[in-house]
Amino acid sequence: MNKRVEQITSAIVSSLRNVLREQDVTFEEYRTAVMYMGKVAEAKELPLLIDVFLNITMCEISDAHFKGSRSDLEGPYFRSDSPFVTDEIKTMNEYNGRPTLMKGKVTDLDGKPLANTLINIWQSTPDGKYSGFHDDIPVDFYRGKVKTDDYGYYAVRCTAPVPYEIKNDGPTGALLEMIGRHTWRPAHIHYKAEKEGFRTVTTQAYFEGGDWVGDDCCDGRSDDGERVIPEKYEDGKLLIEVDFVLDAN
Ligand code: MBD
Ligand code: FE
């Protein structure tokens, strides 16, 4: 017997039963929904479907316990086995992406630099594929781990991300379309900052004026500007500056 699992399971079942009653759901609708969940699983889209609707709520719940950097969607495409990189995250030349410098600083709540923080950075290819998940793209493309230096700084080169469309030939895209929602996310970069003794922060960066900013099909936090980066350049490269403030555990 696991009390926590019992409590949450009972609460979910009770909420779902209320929906069935309120909506006067027919057997045909109920069976269609069961079949739909089967299709989602078969298409290996369960993590995607669940993150589209619930990931942001988890971020809000978690953030209420901390004072440092706010979190944002992790999404279904994080890989912990990306390579360590020092100056460059590998990209594919065929896409001719805009050269970009990603840098920033990691501190604790008092502003003290946090050296040796591990920052995972990942993004999709310009045609919406994540390495390690789609088309057998090796996991060392468009992903990497960097470490902050003695002063808490990190810097790495990559290319600029572009808007991302959730595959609309799969069951998740089909549901979004059926409920009148589009399937686009603004151009984004994923980050996960990890340091022993501190809260791990997963977040994203977006671009000022970018398509779908403030209108994300996954309700990510591009709507209030906090992680929306103005277009700046350094040494002829697009500059994406993202700092992290980590809560001690
Ligand atoms: C993504 O690339 C993503 O970041 C999220 C949150 C959901 C689906 C695809
Ligand atoms: Fe993403």
Side-chain angles (χ1 to χ4, degrees), residues 26-117:
T26 66
F27 261 111
E28 197 190 339
E29 289 166 336
Y30 170 77
R31 292 290 170 211
T32 304
V34 173
M35 292 302 289
Y36 175 76
M37 293 309 293
K39 282 185 207 157
V40 172
E42 203 178 313
K44 299 199 164 61
E45 286 191 5
L46 258 177
L48 173 63
L49 179 76
I50 291 172
D51 282 349
V52 165
F53 291 103
L54 302 179
N55 195 165
I56 195 62
T57 304
M58 290 308 305
C59 294
E60 288 161 8
I61 295 166
S62 174
D63 284 353
H65 300 281
F66 299 99
K67 295 191 177 70
S69 293
R70 207 173 59 159
S71 66
D72 197 349
L73 307 172
E74 175 167 318
Y77 303 126
F78 170 65
R79 290 274 300 232
S80 60
D81 56 346
S82 70
F84 279 97
V85 292
T86 46
D87 44 27
E88 191 161 29
I89 292 174
K90 277 214 272 193
T91 57
M92 293 150 105
N93 291 335
E94 68 216 60
Y95 292 119
N96 213 359
R98 278 203 292 167
T100 299
L101 178 66
M102 300 169 182
K103 68 176 192 180
K105 189 178 187 188
V106 184
T107 55
D108 68 8
L109 290 185
D110 301 322
K112 193 171 120 305
L114 292 178
N116 208 30
T117 304

Side-chain angles (χ1 to χ4, degrees), residues 73-78 122-124 130 164 185-190 204 218:
L73 307 172
E74 175 167 318
Y77 303 126
F78 170 65
W122 72 105
Q123 64 176 79
S124 73
Y130 279 91
Y164 177 88
R185 299 212 60 225
H188 61 279
I189 303 174
H190 293 268
Q204 302 199 3
C218 298

Side-chain angles (χ1 to χ4, degrees), residues 14 62 68 79 103 137 145 207 234:
S14 160
S62 174
R79 290 274 300 232
K103 68 176 192 180
I137 302 169
K145 295 185 184 87
F207 304 94
E234 189 175 291

Side-chain angles (χ1 to χ4, degrees), residues 100-162:
T100 299
L101 178 66
M102 300 169 182
K103 68 176 192 180
K105 189 178 187 188
V106 184
T107 55
D108 68 8
L109 290 185
D110 301 322
K112 193 171 120 305
L114 292 178
N116 208 30
T117 304
L118 179 70
I119 305 179
N120 298 268
I121 301 177
W122 72 105
Q123 64 176 79
S124 73
T125 63
D127 52 356
K129 287 158 189 154
Y130 279 91
S131 68
F133 289 90
H134 305 125
D135 281 6
D136 298 322
I137 302 169
V139 78
D140 55 336
F141 282 92
Y142 295 92
R143 300 175 186 272
K145 295 185 184 87
V146 292
K147 282 194 161 179
T148 57
D149 66 14
D150 290 349
Y151 309 97
Y153 289 97
Y154 72 93
V156 69
R157 296 192 305 276
C158 194
T159 54
V162 299

